[in-house]
PDB file of all heavy atoms in Angstrom:
ATOM      1  N   TYR A 181      26.015  23.803  40.221  1.00 96.00           N
ATOM      2  CA  TYR A 181      26.589  24.387  41.396  1.00 96.00           C
ATOM      3  C   TYR A 181      26.110  23.559  42.644  1.00 96.00           C
ATOM      4  O   TYR A 181      24.994  23.582  43.018  1.00 96.00           O
ATOM      5  CB  TYR A 181      26.176  25.810  41.585  1.00 96.00           C
ATOM      6  CG  TYR A 181      26.772  26.670  40.510  1.00 96.00           C
ATOM      7  CD1 TYR A 181      25.994  27.118  39.393  1.00 96.00           C
ATOM      8  CD2 TYR A 181      28.116  27.154  40.519  1.00 96.00           C
ATOM      9  CE1 TYR A 181      26.531  27.893  38.379  1.00 96.00           C
ATOM     10  CE2 TYR A 181      28.651  27.913  39.603  1.00 96.00           C
ATOM     11  CZ  TYR A 181      27.863  28.384  38.495  1.00 96.00           C
ATOM     12  OH  TYR A 181      28.382  29.152  37.496  1.00 96.00           O
ATOM     13  N   GLU A 182      27.118  22.980  43.333  1.00 93.00           N
ATOM     14  CA  GLU A 182      26.782  22.249  44.519  1.00 93.00           C
ATOM     15  C   GLU A 182      26.453  23.083  45.713  1.00 93.00           C
ATOM     16  O   GLU A 182      25.804  22.610  46.633  1.00 93.00           O
ATOM     17  CB  GLU A 182      27.929  21.236  44.846  1.00 93.00           C
ATOM     18  CG  GLU A 182      28.187  20.172  43.879  1.00 93.00           C
ATOM     19  CD  GLU A 182      29.246  19.244  44.209  1.00 93.00           C
ATOM     20  OE1 GLU A 182      29.845  19.404  45.271  1.00 93.00           O
ATOM     21  OE2 GLU A 182      29.486  18.222  43.425  1.00 93.00           O
ATOM     22  N   GLU A 183      26.939  24.349  45.691  1.00 94.00           N
ATOM     23  CA  GLU A 183      26.645  25.268  46.842  1.00 94.00           C
ATOM     24  C   GLU A 183      25.174  25.684  46.890  1.00 94.00           C
ATOM     25  O   GLU A 183      24.811  26.364  47.882  1.00 94.00           O
ATOM     26  CB  GLU A 183      27.576  26.451  46.855  1.00 94.00           C
ATOM     27  CG  GLU A 183      27.522  27.305  45.603  1.00 94.00           C
ATOM     28  CD  GLU A 183      28.607  26.916  44.577  1.00 94.00           C
ATOM     29  OE1 GLU A 183      28.840  25.675  44.372  1.00 94.00           O
ATOM     30  OE2 GLU A 183      29.277  27.883  44.035  1.00 94.00           O
ATOM     31  N   VAL A 184      24.454  25.457  45.821  1.00 95.00           N
ATOM     32  CA  VAL A 184      23.061  25.834  45.812  1.00 95.00           C
ATOM     33  C   VAL A 184      22.265  24.501  45.793  1.00 95.00           C
ATOM     34  O   VAL A 184      22.466  23.644  45.012  1.00 95.00           O
ATOM     35  CB  VAL A 184      22.666  26.699  44.522  1.00 95.00           C
ATOM     36  CG1 VAL A 184      21.145  26.924  44.495  1.00 95.00           C
ATOM     37  CG2 VAL A 184      23.514  27.860  44.416  1.00 95.00           C
ATOM     38  N   SER A 185      21.407  24.379  46.826  1.00 96.00           N
ATOM     39  CA  SER A 185      20.630  23.114  47.010  1.00 96.00           C
ATOM     40  C   SER A 185      19.874  22.767  45.739  1.00 96.00           C
ATOM     41  O   SER A 185      19.179  23.625  45.193  1.00 96.00           O
ATOM     42  CB  SER A 185      19.670  23.289  48.222  1.00 96.00           C
ATOM     43  OG  SER A 185      18.933  22.140  48.322  1.00 96.00           O
ATOM     44  N   ARG A 186      20.000  21.516  45.368  1.00 97.00           N
ATOM     45  CA  ARG A 186      19.363  21.029  44.162  1.00 97.00           C
ATOM     46  C   ARG A 186      18.609  19.696  44.408  1.00 97.00           C
ATOM     47  O   ARG A 186      19.030  18.928  45.267  1.00 97.00           O
ATOM     48  CB  ARG A 186      20.344  20.760  42.994  1.00 97.00           C
ATOM     49  CG  ARG A 186      21.147  21.988  42.521  1.00 97.00           C
ATOM     50  CD  ARG A 186      22.263  21.580  41.527  1.00 97.00           C
ATOM     51  NE  ARG A 186      23.159  20.652  42.132  1.00 97.00           N
ATOM     52  CZ  ARG A 186      23.949  19.850  41.445  1.00 97.00           C
ATOM     53  NH1 ARG A 186      23.842  19.869  40.139  1.00 97.00           N
ATOM     54  NH2 ARG A 186      24.794  19.027  42.025  1.00 97.00           N
ATOM     55  N   THR A 187      17.561  19.494  43.683  1.00 97.00           N
ATOM     56  CA  THR A 187      16.832  18.192  43.689  1.00 97.00           C
ATOM     57  C   THR A 187      16.814  17.631  42.278  1.00 97.00           C
ATOM     58  O   THR A 187      17.078  18.375  41.290  1.00 97.00           O
ATOM     59  CB  THR A 187      15.434  18.353  44.240  1.00 97.00           C
ATOM     60  OG1 THR A 187      14.711  19.397  43.540  1.00 97.00           O
ATOM     61  CG2 THR A 187      15.499  18.713  45.706  1.00 97.00           C
ATOM     62  N   TYR A 188      16.485  16.401  42.120  1.00 98.00           N
ATOM     63  CA  TYR A 188      16.403  15.704  40.839  1.00 98.00           C
ATOM     64  C   TYR A 188      15.196  16.115  40.062  1.00 98.00           C
ATOM     65  O   TYR A 188      14.065  16.019  40.615  1.00 98.00           O
ATOM     66  CB  TYR A 188      16.475  14.189  40.991  1.00 98.00           C
ATOM     67  CG  TYR A 188      16.552  13.422  39.697  1.00 98.00           C
ATOM     68  CD1 TYR A 188      17.332  13.790  38.651  1.00 98.00           C
ATOM     69  CD2 TYR A 188      15.839  12.211  39.628  1.00 98.00           C
ATOM     70  CE1 TYR A 188      17.444  13.004  37.501  1.00 98.00           C
ATOM     71  CE2 TYR A 188      15.928  11.471  38.450  1.00 98.00           C
ATOM     72  CZ  TYR A 188      16.709  11.889  37.435  1.00 98.00           C
ATOM     73  OH  TYR A 188      16.760  11.094  36.291  1.00 98.00           O
ATOM     74  N   LEU A 189      15.386  16.680  38.820  1.00 97.00           N
ATOM     75  CA  LEU A 189      14.239  17.208  38.078  1.00 97.00           C
ATOM     76  C   LEU A 189      13.102  16.171  37.947  1.00 97.00           C
ATOM     77  O   LEU A 189      11.974  16.554  38.120  1.00 97.00           O
ATOM     78  CB  LEU A 189      14.727  17.632  36.704  1.00 97.00           C
ATOM     79  CG  LEU A 189      13.698  18.110  35.784  1.00 97.00           C
ATOM     80  CD1 LEU A 189      12.933  19.323  36.249  1.00 97.00           C
ATOM     81  CD2 LEU A 189      14.268  18.395  34.349  1.00 97.00           C
ATOM     82  N   PHE A 190      13.433  14.972  37.633  1.00 96.00           N
ATOM     83  CA  PHE A 190      12.350  14.064  37.408  1.00 96.00           C
ATOM     84  C   PHE A 190      11.547  13.751  38.624  1.00 96.00           C
ATOM     85  O   PHE A 190      10.272  13.566  38.568  1.00 96.00           O
ATOM     86  CB  PHE A 190      13.018  12.680  36.801  1.00 96.00           C
ATOM     87  CG  PHE A 190      11.905  11.809  36.247  1.00 96.00           C
ATOM     88  CD1 PHE A 190      11.007  12.217  35.304  1.00 96.00           C
ATOM     89  CD2 PHE A 190      11.850  10.404  36.636  1.00 96.00           C
ATOM     90  CE1 PHE A 190      10.023  11.347  34.834  1.00 96.00           C
ATOM     91  CE2 PHE A 190      10.894   9.578  36.111  1.00 96.00           C
ATOM     92  CZ  PHE A 190       9.983  10.012  35.204  1.00 96.00           C
ATOM     93  N   ASP A 191      12.150  13.686  39.754  1.00 96.00           N
ATOM     94  CA  ASP A 191      11.471  13.544  41.017  1.00 96.00           C
ATOM     95  C   ASP A 191      10.457  14.740  41.262  1.00 96.00           C
ATOM     96  O   ASP A 191       9.378  14.544  41.740  1.00 96.00           O
ATOM     97  CB  ASP A 191      12.408  13.434  42.218  1.00 96.00           C
ATOM     98  CG  ASP A 191      13.201  12.155  42.290  1.00 96.00           C
ATOM     99  OD1 ASP A 191      12.689  11.188  41.574  1.00 96.00           O
ATOM    100  OD2 ASP A 191      14.270  12.144  42.886  1.00 96.00           O
ATOM    101  N   GLU A 192      10.949  15.967  40.922  1.00 96.00           N
ATOM    102  CA  GLU A 192      10.085  17.085  41.178  1.00 96.00           C
ATOM    103  C   GLU A 192       8.944  17.087  40.168  1.00 96.00           C
ATOM    104  O   GLU A 192       7.767  17.404  40.539  1.00 96.00           O
ATOM    105  CB  GLU A 192      10.900  18.354  40.952  1.00 96.00           C
ATOM    106  CG  GLU A 192      11.993  18.674  41.954  1.00 96.00           C
ATOM    107  CD  GLU A 192      11.328  18.864  43.358  1.00 96.00           C
ATOM    108  OE1 GLU A 192      10.193  19.300  43.440  1.00 96.00           O
ATOM    109  OE2 GLU A 192      12.049  18.515  44.399  1.00 96.00           O
ATOM    110  N   LEU A 193       9.132  16.663  38.940  1.00 95.00           N
ATOM    111  CA  LEU A 193       8.114  16.608  37.888  1.00 95.00           C
ATOM    112  C   LEU A 193       7.037  15.682  38.238  1.00 95.00           C
ATOM    113  O   LEU A 193       5.885  15.830  37.815  1.00 95.00           O
ATOM    114  CB  LEU A 193       8.710  16.334  36.523  1.00 95.00           C
ATOM    115  CG  LEU A 193       9.543  17.465  35.838  1.00 95.00           C
ATOM    116  CD1 LEU A 193      10.337  16.868  34.676  1.00 95.00           C
ATOM    117  CD2 LEU A 193       8.675  18.561  35.398  1.00 95.00           C
ATOM    118  N   ARG A 194       7.352  14.610  38.984  1.00 92.00           N
ATOM    119  CA  ARG A 194       6.333  13.562  39.296  1.00 92.00           C
ATOM    120  C   ARG A 194       5.487  13.973  40.500  1.00 92.00           C
ATOM    121  O   ARG A 194       4.585  13.180  40.769  1.00 92.00           O
ATOM    122  CB  ARG A 194       7.072  12.248  39.527  1.00 92.00           C
ATOM    123  CG  ARG A 194       7.623  11.606  38.263  1.00 92.00           C
ATOM    124  CD  ARG A 194       8.212  10.238  38.489  1.00 92.00           C
ATOM    125  NE  ARG A 194       9.373  10.172  39.374  1.00 92.00           N
ATOM    126  CZ  ARG A 194      10.017   9.106  39.744  1.00 92.00           C
ATOM    127  NH1 ARG A 194       9.583   7.944  39.339  1.00 92.00           N
ATOM    128  NH2 ARG A 194      11.109   9.219  40.510  1.00 92.00           N
ATOM    129  N   LYS A 195       5.839  14.983  41.106  1.00 91.00           N
ATOM    130  CA  LYS A 195       5.035  15.414  42.313  1.00 91.00           C
ATOM    131  C   LYS A 195       3.748  16.080  41.838  1.00 91.00           C
ATOM    132  O   LYS A 195       3.693  16.704  40.748  1.00 91.00           O
ATOM    133  CB  LYS A 195       5.775  16.403  43.175  1.00 91.00           C
ATOM    134  CG  LYS A 195       7.023  15.857  43.846  1.00 91.00           C
ATOM    135  CD  LYS A 195       7.739  16.952  44.669  1.00 91.00           C
ATOM    136  CE  LYS A 195       8.932  16.326  45.412  1.00 91.00           C
ATOM    137  NZ  LYS A 195       9.651  17.448  46.169  1.00 91.00           N
ATOM    138  N   PRO A 196       2.598  15.885  42.533  1.00 87.00           N
ATOM    139  CA  PRO A 196       1.310  16.460  42.128  1.00 87.00           C
ATOM    140  C   PRO A 196       1.513  17.997  42.078  1.00 87.00           C
ATOM    141  O   PRO A 196       2.180  18.601  42.864  1.00 87.00           O
ATOM    142  CB  PRO A 196       0.355  16.080  43.301  1.00 87.00           C
ATOM    143  CG  PRO A 196       1.046  14.859  43.859  1.00 87.00           C
ATOM    144  CD  PRO A 196       2.500  15.033  43.773  1.00 87.00           C
TER     145      PRO A 196
END
Side-chain angles (χ1 to χ4, degrees):
Y181 293 101
E182 295 183 358
E183 59 265 42
V184 180
S185 178
R186 300 174 299 159
T187 53
Y188 184 40
L189 174 61
F190 193 50
D191 288 341
E192 294 296 331
L193 288 168
R194 288 187 294 179
K195 293 179 179 178

